Amino acid sequence: MIRNFIEGIRSRRNGFYSALYALLTFPRRISVPAIPVLHSALYWFVQMLKSAWLRLKNMLFNEPMFRSQTESCGRAFRLFDDLPNIIGAVRIRIGDNVGLEGDATIAGGKLAETSILEVGNDTYMGYQTQFFIGPRVSIGSHVLIANRVTFVGYDSHPLDPVARAANEPPDETGSGPITVEDHAWIGSNCIILKNVRIGRAAVVATGSVVTRDVPPFSVVAGNPARVVKQLDPVDFD
């Protein structure tokens, strides 16, 4: 009976059900006009409250909890959003003045006995950065990592289809280190694979898949990433 009543409203079977449908859907057609001064002030007030609450939560809870999971974490470490997700056994070493955006993942490898994440000073890591660490991922100082960059330091499955079907782990070649040298810049949505070194002050263009070493002071782009430009060397010291 109830189902029949609901179907009648949905199908607007007759005038009675059409009237009920119009009454029930009336709120969806209401649009409250914006009062510029009032609603603009309310918008910024709400944004200010959200920002203040998030900073307080990170300062009092999330940052100390993250520090408790590290071997070392330098001064002025700052989370810009929620607590990173740490999976497996990872030794984490963070330098000074490091910023990490929200929804990050730090996962230890399946093949390495110990996985190590090292981050130098004055480095920024963007939203949804993911570290799948083989033996080691080393990020230098003054490095900029944009949003949704993924470091893949190990294979999840073996290449051999028979071994894959048997749910066997990859062999020892399925894991390797990743190194990002000082002053490098990695654009958003990039994937950095194992056994790769990104040279000093190199730039990895948005959406690139890095499968081989990137020379210092170069710009790479594409899948697989290739050198598209050479930069003038700079002495940072």
Side-chain angles (χ1 to χ4, degrees):
M1 182 177 177
I2 294 176
R3 181 179 298 177
N4 185 53
F5 180 71
I6 293 173
E7 286 300 322
I9 294 175
R10 285 177 176 170
S11 62
R12 283 158 280 183
R13 187 178 299 153
N14 53 38
F16 170 73
Y17 285 114
S18 294
L20 276 178
Y21 181 87
L23 179 64
L24 293 172
T25 59
F26 175 72
R28 294 191 313 192
R29 300 193 295 273
I30 297 175
S31 179
V32 178
I35 304 172
V37 174
L38 172 63
H39 290 103
S40 180
L42 284 174
Y43 175 85
W44 290 112
F45 178 69
V46 170
Q47 292 296 102
M48 183 184 66
L49 285 181
K50 286 169 63 177
S51 179
W53 164 245
L54 182 60
R55 184 68 205 120
L56 185 65
K57 183 175 70 169
N58 282 335
M59 183 175 64
L60 296 180
F61 301 104
N62 290 342
E63 289 170 3
M65 283 192 288
F66 179 78
R67 286 176 179 274
S68 74
Q69 301 303 302
T70 68
E71 285 190 354
S72 59
C73 190
R75 61 182 177 81
F77 170 76
R78 185 166 180 180
L79 287 174
F80 293 97
D81 211 325
D82 276 333
L83 194 64
N85 187 26
I86 301 175
I87 303 169
V90 186
R91 297 167 63 183
I92 303 172
R93 302 163 185 164
I94 304 289
D96 295 334
N97 301 308
V98 170
L100 179 59
E101 287 283 358
D103 207 17
T105 297
I106 302 172
K110 300 177 181 179
L111 302 179
E113 185 173 331
T114 302
S115 295
I116 299 172
L117 173 62
E118 295 178 319
V119 181
N121 300 329
D122 302 294
T123 285
Y124 168 83
M125 294 166 283
Y127 180 72
Q128 289 185 345
T129 302
Q130 297 185 93
F131 297 97
F132 299 103
I133 306 166
R136 181 186 300 264
V137 172
S138 297
I139 310 295
S141 296
H142 304 281
V143 172
L144 295 176
I145 299 173
N147 297 336
R148 299 181 182 87
V149 173
T150 302
F151 297 86
V152 185
Y154 60 86
D155 299 337
S156 296
H157 306 284
L159 291 177
D160 179 65
V162 176
R164 235 181 6 255
N167 202 30
E168 294 179 9
D171 61 25
E172 64 277 1
T173 64
S175 178
I178 298 172
T179 301
V180 180
E181 295 183 354
D182 296 349
H183 298 280
W185 173 21
I186 302 176
S188 59
N189 297 296
C190 289
I191 299 175
I192 316 299
L193 299 185
K194 64 182 187 293
N195 298 317
V196 160
R197 175 179 289 269
I198 296 176
R200 184 176 174 85
V203 178
V204 180
T206 295
S208 299
V209 178
V210 183
T211 62
R212 64 186 71 180
D213 289 353
V214 176
F217 297 99
S218 67
V219 180
V220 299
N223 179 10
R226 302 180 186 278
V227 176
V228 295
K229 185 176 182 178
Q230 203 64 44
L231 304 173
D232 294 330
V234 176
D235 185 5
F236 294 99
D237 300 326

